[in-house]
Amino acid sequence: MSDVLQQLAQILEQRKLETADKSYVASLYAKGLDSILKKIGEEATETVIAAKGGDKKQIIYETADLWFHCMVLLADQGLGPDDVLQELQRRFGLSGLEEKAQRNK
């Protein structure tokens, strides 16, 4: 599965070189961080609404949109899916309470 994330990350990097009128992602980069964050907020809200509605296909669709826009944010910030996957790996086997306590040190 992470192959898909890696492929997407490469495409998002390539879109940094595109013009805003040729690429949706390039237009987000051109508009700046606030526009990217706004899209993440919109997609998160749509994901919540889909979950409340209980339509599994809609939940998947909206979650894909949310993940996509989070990937745009990561690329914008010079990060990639491996950075997030490494953090999830670090947390593996820790209780949520343990992990949160470690962050506050």
Side-chain angles (χ1 to χ4, degrees):
M1 276 190 274
S2 64
D3 287 346
V4 171
L5 296 177
Q6 290 301 329
Q7 291 171 354
L8 178 57
Q10 289 174 353
I11 291 168
L12 294 176
E13 283 299 318
Q14 293 169 357
R15 293 300 186 261
K16 289 180 178 181
L17 306 174
E18 300 283 327
T19 59
D21 62 333
K22 300 282 184 187
S23 164
Y24 168 71
V25 172
S27 73
L28 282 177
Y29 291 142
K31 292 175 189 172
L33 182 60
D34 285 347
S35 288
I36 295 168
L37 297 176
K38 181 180 176 191
K39 279 305 292 181
I40 290 173
E42 290 170 4
E43 298 303 342
T45 300
E46 290 171 5
T47 302
V48 169
I49 291 167
K52 288 290 284 180
D55 181 336
K56 290 183 180 185
K57 286 186 179 182
Q58 195 65 27
I59 293 167
I60 291 168
Y61 180 86
E62 296 300 345
T63 300
D65 282 352
L66 177 58
W67 286 15
F68 175 84
H69 287 89
C70 286
M71 293 279 297
V72 172
L73 172 65
L74 289 173
D76 182 68
Q77 298 297 303
L79 300 167
D82 281 342
D83 298 300
V84 177
L85 293 172
Q86 287 172 9
E87 175 60 15
L88 289 172
Q89 181 65 41
R90 183 191 69 77
R91 295 179 187 189
F92 194 80
L94 292 175
S95 77
L97 297 174
E98 264 184 298
E99 193 281 322
K100 188 172 182 178
Q102 286 181 358
R103 278 190 268 162
N104 294 329
K105 290 182 180 179

